[in-house]
Amino acid sequence: MWLGPRLLSVVLGVGLAANHVVSFNMNFGWRATFAPSRDQWAIQREITAESMVFSRDLSLNLFFAEEAADVPTKKKFTLKVSSGDEGAMFTAGKFMVEAFWLEYPLHIFQPTGDGQITISDSAKVELIAAQAEDLSDKFGERIGKRLLNSCLITSIDEDTNDIMGVVCVEVRMLDTSAQEILTAQKSELNLKNALASLGPKQRRQFKDSTVSELTMELLPSEVSAVCVLSNLSVSSKARRTGLGAELCCEVERIVKDVWGFDLLFLKVEADNVAAKGLYEKMGFRTDFKIDDASALRLDTNTGSFVECTADTLVMTKNLKRGSI
């Protein structure tokens, strides 16, 4: 199952490395086998339980918005930029399914209303495979250099070596006339087509140009390159430690100091008041609203992602003004 760019709907991730196969055991009895092509995923469940029930702690808000941005971190976490290999993408995908998608009833296509999310083993396998493949496409290893930067960051508990949080950031194209942040695929395709239209002399002229410079020179004036934060996910074990804010601050550092951008964008559903509140505390302000924007929900019966619509806010932060 291939979800394309929608799976990483911004707040709501390339081909795999070839010529080798990696097989390893994950926690909870999952065994993953990776083959040279992303179409050759094989994930096998090794326990016999018919289903698992995930109970949501009702005090836990999506994106950990109840924690203030200045809450000090009491536990020791190490932030790590993912290497992009198959194992790292699978581990991050598994974490996101368990700590993000299955942790909050808002993500469920047909929630039961009793605060519990029930899913079979086979359905969970499908979700993990789809999420890992999508992360691999946007943040994993691939042959050749990406035109647009992307980065997946994990937070590791120094005591247990477990993932406690994930956040993603990537360069996309913003079309201000349509008030739309283009998908990663469309963004890269637009820039590729613009470069392909140049003659040899012009290509040499732009050889050392940044993405922002290329966009300004080659694309319509209403289109600009922007950095977009997405997929902020924190384990319930790490809530109220300030980890969500710490992950966002690391994204800001990379965007400003490494990639050279001054603005950071994100998207959040308008009904998600808790998440909106956290981002406002961190200095984000609503830029514009998209009515009936594309969104995703989980069908826990089939283990698939269902497309729906939801009013969505596009928020921005000026990194020149904000402190990291």
Side-chain angles (χ1 to χ4, degrees), residues 258-305:
V258 181
W259 295 354
F261 286 80
D262 294 327
L263 291 177
L264 179 61
F265 286 71
L266 61 83
K267 292 166 71 175
V268 60
E269 291 185 14
D271 290 341
N272 195 340
V273 178
K276 179 175 176 287
L278 169 63
Y279 295 127
E280 287 176 338
K281 287 180 180 179
M282 296 189 65
F284 286 88
R285 296 293 178 262
T286 299
D287 197 357
F288 57 89
K289 178 182 177 183
I290 305 174
D291 295 327
D292 297 326
S294 177
L296 287 179
R297 297 294 184 264
L298 294 187
D299 186 333
T300 54
N301 294 320
T302 63
S304 61
F305 292 87

Side-chain angles (χ1 to χ4, degrees), residues 27-28 64 67 73 75-80 91-92 95-96 98-100 153-167 231-244 246-247:
N27 292 333
F28 310 111
F64 300 86
E67 61 178 347
T73 300
K75 293 179 68 65
K76 292 183 178 180
F77 300 115
T78 299
L79 300 185
K80 179 182 179 182
T91 303
F95 173 82
M96 286 187 61
E98 295 174 342
F100 179 79
I153 303 166
T154 58
S155 176
I156 308 298
D157 187 317
E158 293 183 0
D159 295 327
T160 64
N161 206 36
D162 293 332
I163 292 182
M164 290 288 107
V166 167
V167 69
N231 297 312
L232 177 60
S233 313
V234 179
S235 169
S236 59
K237 298 177 183 178
R239 65 182 180 219
R240 299 203 64 82
T241 63
L243 180 56
E246 187 178 347
L247 285 164

Side-chain angles (χ1 to χ4, degrees), residues 1-113:
M1 177 173 56
W2 173 240
L3 296 180
R6 296 191 185 91
L7 184 54
L8 289 180
S9 175
V10 184
V11 159
L12 124 162
V14 209
L16 302 179
N19 302 324
H20 67 283
V21 174
V22 180
S23 180
F24 57 93
N25 291 322
M26 302 296 295
N27 292 333
F28 310 111
W30 296 97
R31 186 180 70 189
T33 302
F34 302 93
S37 167
R38 70 183 179 202
D39 295 323
Q40 295 173 286
W41 285 82
I43 304 175
Q44 179 179 343
R45 191 67 167 115
E46 294 187 312
I47 64 176
T48 58
E50 291 297 326
S51 66
M52 291 177 284
V53 177
F54 299 83
S55 298
R56 177 181 178 267
D57 181 345
L58 296 180
S59 68
L60 176 61
N61 292 317
L62 183 62
F63 305 134
F64 300 86
E66 81 264 28
E67 61 178 347
D70 58 354
V71 172
T73 300
K74 297 178 181 179
K75 293 179 68 65
K76 292 183 178 180
F77 300 115
T78 299
L79 300 185
K80 179 182 179 182
V81 175
S82 174
S83 62
D85 63 82
E86 298 100 315
M89 295 297 99
F90 178 84
T91 303
K94 181 174 181 291
F95 173 82
M96 286 187 61
V97 167
E98 295 174 342
F100 179 79
W101 292 108
L102 293 175
E103 192 67 33
Y104 197 65
L106 173 66
H107 294 146
I108 306 305
F109 178 56
Q110 294 177 324
T112 60

Side-chain angles (χ1 to χ4, degrees), residues 72-227:
T73 300
K74 297 178 181 179
K75 293 179 68 65
K76 292 183 178 180
F77 300 115
T78 299
L79 300 185
K80 179 182 179 182
V81 175
S82 174
S83 62
D85 63 82
E86 298 100 315
M89 295 297 99
F90 178 84
T91 303
K94 181 174 181 291
F95 173 82
M96 286 187 61
V97 167
E98 295 174 342
F100 179 79
W101 292 108
L102 293 175
E103 192 67 33
Y104 197 65
L106 173 66
H107 294 146
I108 306 305
F109 178 56
Q110 294 177 324
T112 60
D114 60 3
Q116 290 189 329
I117 300 173
T118 303
I119 185 171
S120 68
D121 293 345
S122 59
K124 186 177 179 182
V125 165
E126 292 293 331
L127 292 176
I128 292 174
Q131 178 67 88
E133 187 176 6
D134 192 82
L135 290 176
S136 181
D137 182 67
K138 292 183 174 64
F139 305 99
E141 297 172 329
R142 79 192 242 184
I143 299 174
K145 184 180 179 181
R146 295 179 185 274
L147 282 178
L148 304 177
N149 288 325
S150 67
C151 179
L152 186 152
I153 303 166
T154 58
S155 176
I156 308 298
D157 187 317
E158 293 183 0
D159 295 327
T160 64
N161 206 36
D162 293 332
I163 292 182
M164 290 288 107
V166 167
V167 69
C168 302
V169 62
E170 56 189 321
V171 176
R172 301 274 194 92
M173 297 299 168
L174 169 66
D175 186 337
T176 55
S177 63
Q179 291 195 323
E180 177 187 9
I181 296 177
L182 304 184
T183 65
Q185 286 84 347
K186 285 184 179 180
S187 297
E188 186 162 312
L189 183 60
N190 281 358
L191 194 54
K192 278 185 176 180
N193 289 340
L195 290 171
S197 67
L198 300 178
K201 184 177 180 180
Q202 290 175 303
R203 290 184 188 180
R204 287 194 296 271
Q205 177 184 345
F206 292 110
K207 180 172 64 72
D208 298 320
S209 299
T210 66
V211 169
S212 294
E213 291 169 342
L214 289 172
T215 304
M216 291 178 60
E217 293 291 335
L218 303 178
L219 296 180
S221 59
E222 64 270 17
V223 177
S224 59
V226 298
C227 293

